């Protein structure tokens, strides 16, 4: 399968996933219909479905309905279009999916992974093709970012900890991570405060700050995220109470990063 990375709005990503043998496609987080339709025509594909990760970001600082805002218009322009998601607040929703549910679009297989926290109805989508040598893909919306994770608008730190370690973190390590926003530089600057000696953070940050700022930093891989993403490295950064903690790592407590781990201890 071929994944087209489409930059829209201020820092959003939407994606077009193409089954190359049939030229059928599914879109993930179709935020800007006009732009998506331009690429569909250019690629000469038929859009079969939209997979929406979540209804919108509830924060007033974000673009309204920045992940699902194109659903209604696309459903009007393309009669019979299927719209999948886990939250009834998603516009033009035709199929409500649940955790672990699997979908098929030709050779493209999809497993739905429920990750409530950023919103209470957030769903990630894990995609692959049987008998393909290509690595699988994870469309992580606003749960897992390159070098970071989403804010806890409708959930808790414990939920996010479960999402990252028990759901997304158990996927194959070669999985390509396609997230919902371009915020890699900001995330890695924070990661460097948590782990100032982490060479992988330094290297990834230098790469992300390369001269051409228009180039996307997606995809990463799950293997890479475990090397520099502080939210997947909780156990590496945690210091037992009898030890003196790293001063920079203390900053992470402000985000509630260590709360779930401490509770389990």
């Amino acid at each position: 399968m071929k994944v087209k990375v489409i930059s829209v709005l201020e820092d959003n990503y939407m994606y077009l996933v193409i089954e190359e043998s049939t030229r059928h496609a599914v879109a993930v987080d179709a935020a800007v219909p006009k732009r998506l339709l331009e690429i569909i025509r250019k690629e000469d594909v038929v859009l079969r479905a939209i997979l929406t990760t979540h209804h919108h970001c509830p924060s007033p600082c974000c673009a309204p309905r920045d992940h699902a805002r194109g659903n209604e218009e696309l459903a009007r322009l393309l009669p019979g279009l299927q719209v999948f998601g886990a939250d009834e607040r998603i516009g033009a929703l035709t199929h409500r999916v649940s955790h672990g549910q699997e979908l098929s679009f030709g050779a493209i297989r999809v497993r739905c992974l429920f990750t409530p926290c950023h919103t209470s109805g957030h769903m990630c989508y894990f995609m692959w093709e049987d008998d393909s040598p290509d690595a699988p893909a994870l469309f992580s919306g606003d749960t897992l970012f390159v070098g970071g994770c989403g804010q806890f608008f409708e959930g808790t730190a414990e939920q996010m900890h479960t999402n990252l370690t028990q759901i997304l973190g158990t996927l194959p390590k070669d999985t390509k991570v396609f997230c919902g926003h371009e915020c890699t530089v900001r995330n890695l600057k924070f990661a460097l405060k948590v782990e100032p000696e982490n060479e992988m953070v330094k290297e990834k940050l230098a790469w992300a700050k390369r001269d051409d700022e228009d180039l996307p930093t997606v995809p990463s891989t799950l293997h890479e995220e475990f090397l520099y993403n502080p939210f997947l490295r909780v156990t590496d950064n945690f210091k037992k109470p009898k030890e003196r903690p790293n001063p920079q790592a203390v900053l992470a407590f402000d985000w509630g990063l260590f709360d779930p781990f401490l509770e389990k201890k």
Side-chain angles (χ1 to χ4, degrees):
M1 63 187 183
K2 175 181 179 181
V3 179
K4 293 287 293 184
V5 178
I6 309 168
S7 299
V8 293
L9 304 175
E10 183 177 349
D11 62 8
N12 277 76
Y13 286 124
M14 63 180 180
Y15 300 98
L16 186 66
V17 185
I18 302 170
E19 185 192 38
E20 297 192 84
S21 61
T22 63
R23 307 308 294 172
H24 287 181
V26 296
V28 180
D29 287 350
V32 181
K34 181 179 179 180
R35 178 67 176 139
L36 181 62
L37 291 172
E38 288 174 353
I39 294 176
I40 286 172
R41 286 191 290 268
K42 182 178 179 180
E43 294 287 334
D44 191 24
V45 298
V46 176
L47 183 65
R48 293 188 57 194
I50 297 172
L51 305 179
T52 302
T53 58
H54 58 294
H55 72 294
H56 70 87
C57 170
S59 171
C61 67
C62 295
R65 305 187 314 148
D66 59 338
H67 293 266
R69 64 188 294 177
N71 289 5
E72 290 94 340
E73 182 176 349
L74 287 166
R76 178 177 59 81
L77 295 172
L78 304 171
L81 183 68
Q82 301 178 86
V83 178
F84 295 82
D87 195 318
E88 63 184 10
R89 295 172 290 184
I90 292 171
L93 185 70
T94 63
H95 295 74
R96 189 167 181 177
V97 294
S98 58
H99 180 67
Q101 182 175 346
E102 294 198 357
L103 311 171
S104 295
F105 301 98
I108 297 174
R109 302 281 301 279
V110 181
R111 182 178 303 134
C112 303
L113 301 174
F114 189 48
T115 55
C117 181
H118 179 73
T119 67
S120 60
H122 195 291
M123 187 70 75
C124 295
Y125 300 99
F126 178 67
M127 295 192 197
W128 74 98
E129 286 184 332
D130 289 334
D131 303 319
S132 171
D134 296 336
L138 171 67
F139 297 89
S140 57
D142 287 3
T143 294
L144 174 64
F145 293 130
V146 179
C149 71
Q151 296 185 56
F152 312 162
F153 287 122
E154 294 182 351
T156 66
E158 184 173 11
Q159 284 181 312
M160 184 61 79
H161 183 262
T162 297
N163 294 338
L164 298 180
T165 61
Q166 298 182 32
I167 299 176
L168 304 187
T170 61
L171 296 173
K173 293 301 182 289
D174 64 341
T175 299
K176 295 180 180 179
V177 178
F178 295 92
C179 58
H181 291 272
E182 178 56 59
C183 49
T184 301
V185 170
R186 181 173 72 245
N187 291 341
L188 292 174
K189 285 181 178 179
F190 172 77
L192 195 58
K193 291 179 180 179
V194 177
E195 292 188 281
E197 304 304 319
N198 188 322
E199 293 299 323
M200 292 302 301
V201 174
K202 295 177 184 178
E203 291 177 15
K204 189 70 174 184
L205 179 57
W207 174 83
K209 293 170 67 176
R210 60 203 189 279
D211 293 339
D212 191 341
E213 296 181 357
D214 292 332
L215 289 176
T217 61
V218 294
S220 64
T221 68
L222 196 58
H223 170 74
E224 292 170 350
E225 293 300 318
F226 273 99
L227 297 177
Y228 52 64
N229 190 323
F231 298 94
L232 286 170
R233 295 175 56 78
V234 174
T235 55
D236 295 272
N237 292 314
F238 176 72
K239 300 292 183 179
K240 295 180 181 179
K242 66 182 181 181
E243 300 175 0
R244 186 176 181 84
N246 183 320
Q248 289 83 2
V250 174
L251 293 172
F253 281 90
D254 292 337
W255 285 45
L257 172 63
F258 296 114
D259 292 350
F261 184 74
L262 290 170
E263 291 170 4
K264 294 181 185 300
K265 297 295 285 188

